[in-house]
Amino acid sequence: MSKVDLGRTAGLVLGRGGLIAVIVATAIGLVWTLAIAALHVNISIGNHAAYDVLVASPLDVRPDLVADAEIQYATINFVPAIPDATAVLLESVGVGSRYAVGMLAGLMIIWLAVQLLRKRSFGIGTAVMLGVLAAGMLAVAIISPMLEAQAVALAVEAAGLPTEPSTPTFGESDETWVIPPTPHWQGFDFSLLALGVVTGFCSLLLRRASKLQDEAEGLI
């Protein structure tokens, strides 16, 4: 029994020229992504570290605001004079992992195109690669936001910024304070998480389909 699947049909539709174009375009995209990732990590994070943090201010500090609440909140861009090494490392790992999972998806595309060029069916090997991609997506969706939040908290602590209101002996405090983010499940990248779940299901289905096809061939 010959293997006839959607992979070969797609290969016939695209043709060798189309598949080669896909491989070349994806390879160029991988090189471009690697270059952008290096610039982002080395320059934007390593040499020009900056963090968005939430700041709380008593109303006495901002009399122009409507006095419906005792405290007003705003987001500012905090640039430390001397970046904390641990904070830079955590943010670099968090941001770099996002680029890494994108490059892994690009490698998966190249693998599929090569398989079509060789007129090979999508079997267990493809299912395993999809599973690895799904695991990477799930890990990055959970770990990367937590690392980035922890990096901001460490940067705020290293700079010595106040993280709670002061308690003066007389009168009320008129000083602002910073509210650094804390790693929490609500900060997960849910879009990437959902994509990882879908990719994982595709891996399981493809693996099951390959086994069923091999078993059917063995009966003939």
Side-chain angles (χ1 to χ4, degrees), residues 5 8-9 18 32 42 55 62-63 105 110 124 171 176 210 220:
D5 54 29
R8 288 190 176 183
T9 303
W32 177 260
N42 293 331
V55 174
R62 297 288 307 277
I110 292 178
I124 300 297
T176 61
S210 298
I220 298 176

Side-chain angles (χ1 to χ4, degrees), residues 109-187:
I109 294 175
I110 292 178
W111 164 265
L112 295 176
V114 170
Q115 289 294 94
L116 293 176
L117 276 176
R118 298 172 62 189
K119 297 182 180 180
R120 297 291 182 85
S121 300
F122 299 154
I124 300 297
T126 305
V128 170
M129 289 194 66
L130 277 175
V132 172
L133 177 60
M137 289 178 175
L138 294 175
V140 171
I142 295 173
I143 297 175
S144 181
M146 298 182 69
L147 291 177
E148 294 170 2
Q150 186 63 31
V152 177
L154 288 175
V156 169
E157 180 182 359
L161 299 177
T163 56
E164 57 184 22
S166 60
T167 54
T169 304
F170 302 100
E172 297 181 356
S173 174
D174 61 352
E175 297 180 356
T176 61
W177 67 93
V178 176
I179 304 177
T182 55
H184 193 272
W185 68 267
Q186 292 181 344

Side-chain angles (χ1 to χ4, degrees), residues 33 37 40 91-104 136 140-148 187-192:
T33 301
H40 191 170
E91 188 178 9
S92 298
V93 173
V95 172
S97 63
R98 296 179 186 272
Y99 286 104
V101 76
M103 295 183 66
L104 185 60
V140 171
I142 295 173
I143 297 175
S144 181
M146 298 182 69
L147 291 177
E148 294 170 2
F188 293 169
D189 189 339
F190 289 100
S191 59
L192 185 58

Side-chain angles (χ1 to χ4, degrees), residues 19-34 103 106-107 109-110:
L19 292 173
I20 293 174
V22 169
I23 294 174
V24 172
T26 305
I28 294 174
L30 288 176
V31 174
W32 177 260
T33 301
L34 183 61
M103 295 183 66
L107 291 175
I109 294 175
I110 292 178

Side-chain angles (χ1 to χ4, degrees), residues 13-92:
V13 173
L14 289 174
R16 294 185 63 85
L19 292 173
I20 293 174
V22 169
I23 294 174
V24 172
T26 305
I28 294 174
L30 288 176
V31 174
W32 177 260
T33 301
L34 183 61
I36 295 298
L39 291 174
H40 191 170
V41 172
N42 293 331
I43 298 179
S44 298
I45 298 177
N47 297 331
H48 300 89
Y51 310 93
D52 291 330
V53 294
L54 188 64
V55 174
S57 303
L59 282 180
D60 291 343
V61 180
R62 297 288 307 277
D64 57 312
L65 298 177
V66 179
D68 291 336
E70 295 180 355
I71 299 174
Q72 295 289 341
Y73 299 93
T75 300
I76 65 170
N77 188 254
F78 159 58
V79 181
I82 302 177
D84 181 72
T86 304
V88 170
L89 176 61
L90 290 180
E91 188 178 9
S92 298

